[in-house]
Amino acid sequence: MLRLMSSVAVIFCAGFTVLVDGSSWWSLAMNPLLIPEAYIIGGQPLCSQLTGLSTGQRKLCQLYQDHMQFIGAGAQTGISECQHQFGQRRWNCSTVDNSSVFGRVLHTGSRETAFTFAISAAGVVNAVSRACREGELSSCGCSRAARPKDLPRDWLWGGCGDNLNYGYRFSKEFVDAREREKTFAKGSVESARLLMNLHNNEAGRRIASDLAHVSCKCHGVSGSCSLKTCWLQIADFRRVGDALKEKYDSAAAMKLNSRGKLVQVHSKFNSPTSNDLVYIEPSPDYCIENKTSGSLGTQGRLCNKTSEGMDGCALMCCGRGYDQYKVQLVERCHCKFHWCCYVRCKRCSRTVDQFVCK
Ligand SMILES: *[C@@H]1O[C@H](CO)[C@@H](O)[C@H](O)[C@H]1NC(C)=O
Ligand SMILES: *[C@@H]1O[C@H](CO)[C@@H](O)[C@H](O)[C@H]1NC(C)=O
Ligand SMILES: *[C@@H]1O[C@H](CO)[C@@H](O)[C@H](O)[C@H]1NC(C)=O
Ligand SMILES: *[C@@H]1O[C@H](CO)[C@@H](O)[C@H](O)[C@H]1NC(C)=O
């Protein structure tokens, strides 16, 4: 009995550490050292000053210092897109806790955690792929992707494209390093979470890569477009966010099987592919504040009285009801264009009703 108790305690503690540092490379998104100027001027070795890196990530930082700024930017893009996608929902992708950017909520292996891992990994793919194309990195350049078979024969292939191949590989190496350097007993709770993280990182990278597309530019006499040059282009990140949001909605609940692999809880559904999101735990209750789960609760959140969706007061306030306030909005209005060239506007104020969850 005593043995059992102590092994439970160990698992709990180990699990705690794993999950805390499982999220921390995202803190690069906020790191002032990675502002381009600071990065060049800073005399101290950059990698020793960055917090939140695992041992393997610190090694990669030393080898690829010039990449770090783009990893930070990629994480930031991912976080902003997450906040756009979830802004009107109970969990709004808020970032509160300093140590892990997203706070304790990510300690749970939930759908939301799955989304967050995927979108961050996707952000790094796009940022690094573009940095290659722009000549910002010493170890990569323009894409060398093969000419697409369906490209019309008289169009030129070979404008400098985003290097998705490199961006994908670097994101895999860097982002997954943290998970790959851990070892857990097969079948343990921690190993399930590790597999979940790796799966979702990969899904994010694949979605970002798959959405990359061919972009072309016209040449020729005064816009005749007799000649086109084409190249590979990363997708607009909003499209990546929209696609991952759909994956979030259809994410698959998983559990460990006896061989230590993740398998679907509901075996009647098709197994998730490498492009799908997976999760292993139910979401915390986002309605009420809970310091243990990290949920902030929805008290004080704005809601929409007439909407029946997640942003509507009924769902957002979880049945607790809402308070109504009148607020004055001041806006630019009656704007006139003056020759030449400025726009002059009046300021109009109007009173609107605001609804706030109890
Ligand atoms: C976050 O860090 C800042 C300064 O580093 C500190 O003032 C603040 O209290 C911290 N917030 C939390 C929630 O830990
Ligand atoms: C807070 O969250 C923890 C962990 O998810 C849960 O066990 C507990 O019951 C929750 N507390 C409340 C008051 O809901
Ligand atoms: C997100 O939710 C938290 C807690 O409910 C709230 O404090 C914060 O203002 C919200 N953020 C946005 C952008 O609505
Ligand atoms: C509230 O929801 C309704 C119905 O979905 C929508 O038409 C309206 O624009 C929303 N209002 C605000 C302020 O978002």
Side-chain angles (χ1 to χ4, degrees):
M1 186 62 204
L2 193 62
R3 266 187 74 120
L4 185 65
M5 290 287 289
S6 71
S7 73
V8 167
V10 168
I11 287 173
F12 176 77
C13 294
F16 183 74
T17 353
V18 178
L19 303 178
V20 168
D21 63 32
S23 50
S24 37
W25 69 268
W26 292 320
S27 65
L28 295 181
M30 316 288 175
N31 199 312
L33 289 172
L34 293 175
I35 300 165
E37 297 78 36
Y39 162 66
I40 293 160
I41 296 163
Q44 294 254 332
L46 172 76
C47 303
S48 61
Q49 294 182 66
L50 293 177
T51 53
L53 301 183
S54 72
T55 315
Q57 287 174 332
R58 202 168 298 282
K59 283 198 189 120
L60 286 169
C61 175
Q62 274 147 7
L63 288 170
Y64 301 99
Q65 273 209 31
D66 56 355
H67 290 46
M68 299 313 289
Q69 164 195 345
F70 299 99
I71 292 172
Q76 182 59 62
T77 308
I79 292 169
S80 306
E81 182 58 25
C82 179
Q83 291 178 338
H84 169 82
Q85 296 288 340
F86 286 85
Q88 310 296 319
R89 301 175 67 109
R90 286 177 186 165
W91 177 71
N92 64 2
C93 200
S94 51
T95 63
V96 275
D97 181 28
N98 290 342
S99 60
S100 64
V101 187
F102 287 98
R104 292 190 65 98
V105 160
L106 299 197
H107 297 189
T108 305
S110 67
R111 259 175 212 273
E112 291 73 30
T113 301
F115 181 86
T116 315
F117 274 69
I119 199 138
S120 315
V124 173
V125 171
N126 267 19
V128 172
S129 304
R130 177 53 58 87
C132 291
R133 169 181 174 176
E134 294 187 334
E136 301 275 2
L137 303 177
S138 55
S139 54
C140 61
C142 303
S143 164
R144 291 208 220 126
R147 178 189 175 95
K149 292 203 173 62
D150 53 356
L151 198 70
R153 268 180 48 213
D154 47 348
W155 295 6
L156 295 175
W157 178 248
C160 181
D162 291 316
N163 197 336
L164 266 304
N165 188 347
Y166 186 92
Y168 170 89
R169 280 186 294 129
F170 192 82
S171 170
K172 191 178 180 79
E173 197 164 348
F174 183 87
V175 176
D176 287 3
R178 177 176 295 277
E179 314 295 336
R180 296 212 177 277
E181 64 201 51
K182 291 180 215 152
T183 44
F184 292 119
K186 228 180 188 179
S188 63
V189 183
E190 295 83 2
S191 75
R193 179 58 195 274
L194 191 151
L195 293 172
M196 167 183 155
N197 291 348
L198 287 174
H199 185 105
N200 293 321
N201 289 346
E202 180 66 13
R205 284 191 291 268
R206 287 189 179 215
I207 300 258
S209 304
D210 291 353
L211 286 174
H213 54 94
V214 172
S215 183
C216 299
K217 194 164 82 181
C218 283
H219 305 280
V221 195
S222 58
S224 65
C225 208
S226 52
L227 194 62
K228 275 192 179 186
T229 310
C230 306
W231 61 89
L232 190 62
Q233 170 115 347
I234 51 171
D236 179 58
F237 207 69
R238 178 56 33 84
R239 290 189 55 218
V240 177
D242 290 344
L244 282 172
K245 179 66 183 340
E246 279 179 27
K247 295 296 184 186
Y248 164 89
D249 289 329
S250 61
M254 309 293 277
K255 61 174 189 208
L256 281 178
N257 70 5
S258 56
R259 286 181 298 145
K261 293 229 153 71
L262 283 185
V263 291
Q264 206 158 206
V265 174
H266 307 287
S267 51
K268 62 178 189 289
F269 298 139
N270 289 338
S271 291
T273 68
S274 304
N275 287 38
D276 291 318
L277 299 187
V278 300
Y279 65 96
I280 54 172
E281 289 177 285
S283 301
D285 181 353
Y286 294 115
C287 284
I288 36 173
E289 187 180 355
N290 182 332
K291 295 234 159 65
T292 313
S293 71
S295 166
L296 298 172
T298 62
Q299 191 185 3
R301 290 283 301 276
L302 290 176
C303 61
N304 180 333
K305 192 184 169 192
T306 51
S307 166
E308 281 170 17
M310 277 314 302
D311 61 333
C313 293
L315 287 177
M316 181 65 84
C317 309
C318 310
R320 294 186 307 266
Y322 52 86
D323 293 316
Q324 181 167 351
Y325 298 96
K326 295 228 178 284
V327 289
Q328 284 237 318
L329 285 186
V330 180
E331 298 168 324
R332 284 151 56 95
C333 58
H334 304 302
C335 295
K336 277 217 179 81
F337 178 76
H338 290 262
W339 189 263
C340 180
C341 290
Y342 64 95
V343 176
R344 184 166 280 168
C345 300
K346 292 208 163 84
R347 290 159 72 82
C348 302
S349 78
R350 62 192 172 99
T351 308
V352 296
D353 288 318
Q354 245 181 23
F355 305 93
V356 175
C357 291
K358 285 195 187 172

